[in-house]
Amino acid sequence: MQLQVEENGIVTLTAEGEELIKDSPMYNEGLRPTRKDEHNWTAYNFSSLWIGMCICLPSYALAAGLISLGMNWWQAVGTIFLGNLIVLIPILLNAHAGTKYGIPYPVYARLWFGSRGAHIPSMARGIIGAGWFGINCWFAAGALDTLLVAMSGWENVAGHLGISFAIMWGLNVWIAYSGPNAIRKMEFWAAPTLIVMSVALLVWALTSAGGWGPMLSAPSKLTTTVEFMKVFFPALTGAIAFWATLALNIPDFGRYAKSQKAQIIGQSFSMPTTMGLFSFIGVAVASATVVIFGEAIWDPAAILAKFSPFVIFLGTLGIILATVTTNVAANVIAPARAVENLMPKKLTYRTGVLITGLVALLMQPWYILENFGNYIFVWLGTYGALLGPIDGIAIADYWFVRKRRIHLSELYQLDGRYSYRGGFNQKAIYALLIGIIVPVVCKNISPLTFVWDGAWIFGLILSMFFYTWFMNNDGSLVSHTEYKSVTKHIGEKTST
């Protein structure tokens, strides 16, 4: 029986396919495959999505913070741009699966970890997303607190920064609660607005510092190759890890693409270029603060505090907009879907949003941002070591092991081919452990510390290799003949 139909590279369920799985405990409206009319995101939608996500306070802090670690402007921008080019590869590879089959990340994870084992990668991604949610809210709270202090006697209120954080946390949870369908409309208008505000910030820095020369003339403090490499590799891992989260759950957005061309062009054009340009703005402004104020300031709220109340007001609005566009797109959908996937018939996306907000508080973002070392080496570096191996397994499974052939309806069956043994694919768990343990062990061996510094890359390669090896001729694979028997082809010839 043909349970799915492929038209111009997009696979959707037939009426028989949907009827077969609609009563499954692994199915609900948020986790089901998208239908043909729901594939409506254009290249511009993906471009505006990434512009809205990249222009955010953590991006600014990452770029400007590399200056405080001793890099000069071109070393900092080059490190971030290189990291984004590297992470763009798994983003596009995993987005392909979401676009072709219309499945969200937790369902995609059932392919490699099993119907129950999928909770391992989806919850890992979800917890990190919740951490980022808190970080963005804390940044925005600092800006809001600065605004209120500048315009009133807010500094005399006990716990004023904590109150500002509670306000921003509540605002972000409320907006995210409205649902993921609002993201496309919000990003459509937010993207050009954030671009204008970013350029205005650069113009101020250029004018106040007296031109490009004084602003970007500061030499690198890393005078030897050894000194530079000690900072470069952890910083590169941090730049990669910055979007390693989206490299996993990009199917949550790719599932709405009109075509593979739309998601590839939209993401390839916008993500690395926006991060590169906004990184340059962050580095340029931080360099300008050395000329203007005598010190490098990488906290935007601290820079805002030195302006008039009106400028602080406009800057705070921009920070709030940047926070919301990043949080609702990058940091809420993944954990909310992960929670929903735990019990699809009982938990909803909105329940997941509320739980995400609570977990964000438990992650204590104020500690992560206490100093830049925590941000780069503890936060980004540690979770990069976890997500790299998961990225490697995802890519290996879809591209090398299954060769892009999926029996879509069986992803929603408890006793289907993707249940493996007891709902867990032990081969994926073994590959994950190898990808994590090897870099951790190397961290404590002096000649091999570079493996830990590049944990995302090494973990990805290790897990990708071992997973491909372990899954050779696995019983869950769909042959070309079987794929043709369950799939009705319309229009262009399929490329499975």
Side-chain angles (χ1 to χ4, degrees):
M1 179 186 297
Q2 293 181 320
L3 300 174
Q4 57 195 41
V5 56
E6 179 170 348
E7 183 175 3
N8 297 325
I10 303 294
V11 177
T12 55
L13 288 173
T14 62
E16 293 82 3
E18 289 204 25
E19 184 68 24
L20 180 66
I21 64 174
K22 69 176 185 179
D23 295 324
S24 167
M26 301 175 66
Y27 174 98
N28 68 14
E29 277 298 302
L31 297 174
R32 65 166 173 78
T34 48
R35 300 183 178 110
K36 182 178 179 180
D37 63 309
E38 294 171 318
H39 283 271
N40 53 24
W41 281 40
T42 64
Y44 178 80
N45 292 132
F46 282 98
S47 294
S48 60
L49 172 73
W50 276 107
I51 292 171
M53 290 193 298
C54 290
I55 300 180
C56 64
L57 300 187
S59 297
Y60 181 96
L62 176 65
L66 293 184
I67 296 294
S68 69
L69 289 177
M71 288 187 176
N72 61 27
W73 74 270
W74 63 264
Q75 290 171 338
V77 173
T79 299
I80 293 171
F81 187 73
L82 176 60
N84 278 270
L85 285 179
I86 292 173
V87 79
L88 177 63
I89 297 172
I91 286 173
L92 295 178
L93 292 176
N94 286 329
H96 190 284
T99 298
K100 181 172 182 178
Y101 291 97
I103 49 177
Y105 171 61
V107 176
Y108 182 40
R110 294 173 188 172
L111 276 176
W112 359 302
F113 273 84
S115 55
R116 295 179 179 177
H119 299 316
I120 298 172
S122 62
M123 291 306 297
R125 167 64 181 97
I127 291 172
I128 294 167
W132 273 118
F133 183 86
I135 287 173
N136 274 277
C137 288
W138 185 255
F139 266 124
L144 177 62
D145 194 66
T146 299
L147 169 67
L148 296 175
V149 167
M151 301 182 69
S152 64
W154 181 247
E155 68 274 15
N156 298 320
V157 177
H160 55 89
L161 180 57
I163 296 173
S164 297
F165 175 71
I167 293 172
M168 293 310 306
W169 179 89
L171 175 65
N172 278 265
V173 169
W174 175 69
I175 293 175
Y177 194 78
S178 63
N181 289 332
I183 292 174
R184 183 177 59 150
K185 296 179 181 178
M186 180 180 64
E187 299 286 7
F188 185 92
W189 297 107
T193 303
L194 291 172
I195 290 174
V196 170
M197 298 189 75
S198 299
V199 172
L201 181 63
L202 179 62
V203 170
W204 164 80
L206 178 63
T207 304
S208 301
W212 295 111
M215 186 168 63
L216 300 176
S217 61
S220 173
K221 297 178 183 178
L222 309 172
T223 56
T224 67
T225 302
V226 174
E227 289 179 347
F228 176 75
M229 289 301 176
K230 285 182 178 180
V231 174
F232 171 72
F233 281 113
L236 180 64
T237 297
I240 294 171
F242 195 90
W243 291 121
T245 51
L246 263 293
L248 279 175
N249 79 292
I250 193 62
D252 287 331
F253 303 102
R255 64 194 295 226
Y256 299 110
K258 292 187 67 173
S259 64
Q260 296 292 354
K261 182 179 179 180
Q263 65 92 0
I264 292 172
I265 293 177
Q267 296 192 99
S268 300
F269 172 77
S270 60
M271 194 275 268
T273 53
T274 303
M275 279 297 289
L277 291 173
F278 194 62
S279 297
F280 174 76
I281 291 174
V283 167
V285 173
S287 299
T289 60
V290 176
V291 178
I292 301 167
F293 304 118
E295 60 176 331
I297 303 175
W298 62 276
D299 183 355
I303 298 176
L304 272 181
K306 299 180 180 295
F307 289 89
S308 66
F310 178 71
V311 174
I312 294 175
F313 174 73
L314 293 179
T316 301
L317 291 181
I319 288 175
I320 291 174
L321 179 62
T323 300
V324 170
T325 56
T326 299
N327 259 358
V328 297
N331 305 323
V332 175
I333 288 183
R337 291 292 186 217
V339 170
E340 187 180 11
N341 190 51
L342 292 173
M343 291 186 289
K345 292 298 185 183
K346 296 182 179 180
L347 299 176
T348 65
Y349 167 82
R350 289 184 169 182
T351 303
V353 169
L354 297 177
I355 293 176
T356 298
L358 294 176
V359 174
L361 298 178
L362 297 176
M363 298 287 285
Q364 303 181 68
W366 42 88
Y367 169 74
I368 295 174
L369 296 174
E370 187 176 15
N371 62 66
F372 197 72
N374 287 342
Y375 184 50
I376 281 287
F377 302 118
V378 177
W379 174 243
L380 293 177
T382 301
Y383 87 61
L386 171 63
L387 296 190
I390 299 176
D391 266 318
I393 292 171
I395 295 168
D397 182 271
Y398 181 71
W399 289 92
F400 305 144
V401 175
R402 303 191 193 282
K403 297 179 173 60
R404 306 186 300 282
R405 294 191 293 265
I406 298 175
H407 195 311
L408 193 52
S409 63
E410 292 208 16
L411 283 169
Y412 298 86
Q413 297 177 12
L414 282 176
D415 58 350
R417 71 178 67 217
Y418 305 120
S419 293
Y420 300 96
R421 179 181 296 180
F424 292 88
N425 183 5
Q426 295 180 355
K427 297 174 182 177
I429 295 175
Y430 296 150
L432 174 64
L433 291 175
I434 292 172
I436 294 175
I437 291 174
V438 171
V440 170
V441 171
C442 290
K443 180 181 181 181
N444 300 308
I445 302 176
S446 295
L448 299 177
T449 54
F450 71 92
V451 176
W452 171 254
D453 291 338
W456 183 88
I457 295 175
F458 286 103
L460 182 147
I461 294 173
L462 284 168
S463 291
M464 180 185 293
F465 171 79
F466 281 101
Y467 183 81
T468 303
W469 182 23
F470 294 158
M471 289 292 289
N472 185 40
N473 295 322
D474 187 81
S476 67
L477 305 187
V478 177
S479 67
H480 180 68
T481 301
E482 183 182 3
Y483 184 82
K484 290 179 64 177
S485 70
V486 299
T487 308
K488 178 180 180 181
H489 301 296
I490 299 176
E492 297 177 6
K493 185 178 179 181
T494 182
S495 55
T496 56

